[in-house]
Amino acid sequence: MQRNANTQYPILLVHGLFGFDRIGRFELFHDVKQALRNAGARVFVPHLSATHSNEVRGEQLLTQIQRVLKGTGASKVNLIGHSQGALAARYAAAVAPQSVASVTSVSGPNHGSELADFLCKALIPGSLPEQIAEMVASLFADFLSLLSGNHRLPQDAVAALNALTTEGVRAFNEKYPQGLPKTWGGKGRELVNGVRYYSWSGVLQRNILDEGLNALNPLHAFLRAFSHYFINEPEQNDGMVGRYSSHLGTVIKSDYPLDHLRVISQPSGLPTKNIDPVNLYMQHAERLKNAGL
């Protein structure tokens, strides 16, 4: 049966930290973008600084939103942000709600990332035992070496890391609280200032065998290693973001069996057990369409 994702407003897929065109040989958002376009949606992928603060990336997003509005003749856009991209989307909606129909957070660190907290400590001499600090820093550096992205935009890795810590996001949330739950693990208001807020995310499976062939993916191995540094949500995270930290607006589901990167793609040859991440975006586009968005 032909799917219909012809939303009233264009969809912008907003990348997160270390925004890259590809993950290994896979183009970022490729499967999602193509599926949505094949179902009739107008889809754009704005490029933001790979590393910078939420506000700087949010301003860059605002500029590109205006370009999309001018080019399409639409009055608003639907923003779907992955990881830090969710914070950029939230900023844009808070600053210019008249231009944003909806914000959807996909594995967004809406209350900060415990991994970012740990990395910050690892970078401060004496904050952690030297051996642990070196191990964490080395692990993260190796992970980043697998991610590629060359954008001619300003970069600030320190600002990006600070913006993703629990403390950094807390300060961000004080200025831009739209859609945030009032209780930990709860849901937030779906409609704020004319903008609808949604979220979904995944968690690592306790048994690695439940990951299917994705267990053989080196990126998944890194994420599983990162998950050991979570204290508040030790078994409820996707390798980078805790399950309940991801909640925003209407929480569609926050424990899909997907890690932090699998939630944005479904590369051929590496099927994920029981879930097709691309279908989540298709379902959501239909959800937006049915809501008149």
Side-chain angles (χ1 to χ4, degrees):
M1 183 177 68
Q2 181 66 36
R3 305 290 291 270
N4 188 345
N6 184 19
T7 55
Q8 179 177 349
Y9 305 112
I11 294 173
L12 273 66
L13 301 172
V14 188
H15 67 72
L17 179 68
F18 293 98
F20 35 81
D21 291 325
R22 295 177 181 273
I23 302 174
R25 64 188 177 88
F26 302 112
E27 181 183 358
L28 187 71
F29 284 130
H30 177 269
D31 298 337
V32 174
K33 178 177 62 178
Q34 290 305 120
L36 290 173
R37 285 180 174 173
N38 290 342
R42 291 172 292 173
V43 185
F44 301 87
V45 181
H47 291 298
L48 313 182
S49 290
T51 59
H52 224 304
S53 69
N54 301 320
E55 287 85 350
V56 167
R57 299 178 84 248
E59 283 293 326
Q60 294 170 353
L61 178 57
L62 281 172
T63 298
Q64 296 188 55
I65 287 173
Q66 293 307 312
R67 291 175 184 169
V68 170
L69 295 182
K70 182 177 180 180
T72 62
S75 59
K76 295 183 179 183
V77 296
N78 291 302
L79 300 176
I80 302 180
H82 171 248
S83 194
Q84 193 187 11
L87 301 180
R90 287 176 50 198
Y91 174 90
V95 172
Q98 72 281 0
S99 299
V100 179
S102 71
V103 168
T104 302
S105 167
V106 179
S107 300
N110 294 305
H111 295 275
S113 168
E114 290 187 66
L115 178 62
D117 292 343
F118 208 87
L119 285 169
C120 275
K121 290 180 181 179
L123 295 175
I124 300 175
S127 295
L128 291 175
E130 184 176 357
Q131 185 176 5
I132 296 178
E134 288 181 357
M135 180 176 65
V136 175
S138 177
L139 184 65
F140 196 64
D142 289 343
F143 173 73
L144 296 181
S145 72
L146 293 177
L147 307 181
S148 63
N150 299 308
H151 303 311
R152 297 177 182 177
L153 291 168
Q155 310 295 337
D156 191 331
V158 174
L161 185 57
N162 288 334
L164 292 171
T165 62
T166 301
E167 181 179 351
V169 177
R170 183 183 298 116
F172 178 83
N173 287 344
E174 288 177 357
K175 293 185 286 186
Y176 314 108
Q178 292 86 346
L180 289 173
K182 292 186 177 181
T183 58
W184 180 253
K187 297 183 178 182
R189 289 175 57 194
E190 179 176 311
L191 184 62
V192 184
N193 294 335
V195 180
R196 292 189 181 275
Y197 290 84
Y198 306 90
S199 64
W200 79 76
S201 58
V203 296
L204 295 171
Q205 300 304 284
R206 294 186 183 183
N207 188 341
I208 194 171
L209 297 178
D210 290 336
E211 296 288 349
L213 291 179
N214 189 44
L216 303 177
N217 186 341
L219 291 171
H220 176 76
F222 278 109
L223 294 171
R224 190 165 282 275
F226 292 151
S227 71
H228 296 307
Y229 299 102
F230 283 73
I231 298 174
N232 294 324
E233 298 188 75
E235 295 183 344
Q236 296 289 324
N237 67 80
D238 62 7
M240 285 196 163
V241 175
R243 172 185 178 182
Y244 298 115
S245 179
S246 73
H247 284 196
L248 181 76
T250 294
V251 181
I252 297 166
K253 188 175 173 65
S254 60
D255 61 347
Y256 286 114
L258 297 167
D259 67 32
H260 193 73
L261 295 179
R262 295 288 288 164
V263 77
I264 58 175
S265 66
Q266 173 73 341
S268 59
L270 286 176
T272 299
K273 275 194 170 183
N274 304 322
I275 191 74
D276 176 359
V278 175
N279 192 48
L280 299 181
Y281 293 84
M282 292 292 294
Q283 292 175 351
H284 191 55
E286 293 170 343
R287 182 180 295 112
L288 297 175
K289 179 180 182 296
N290 291 336
L293 305 176

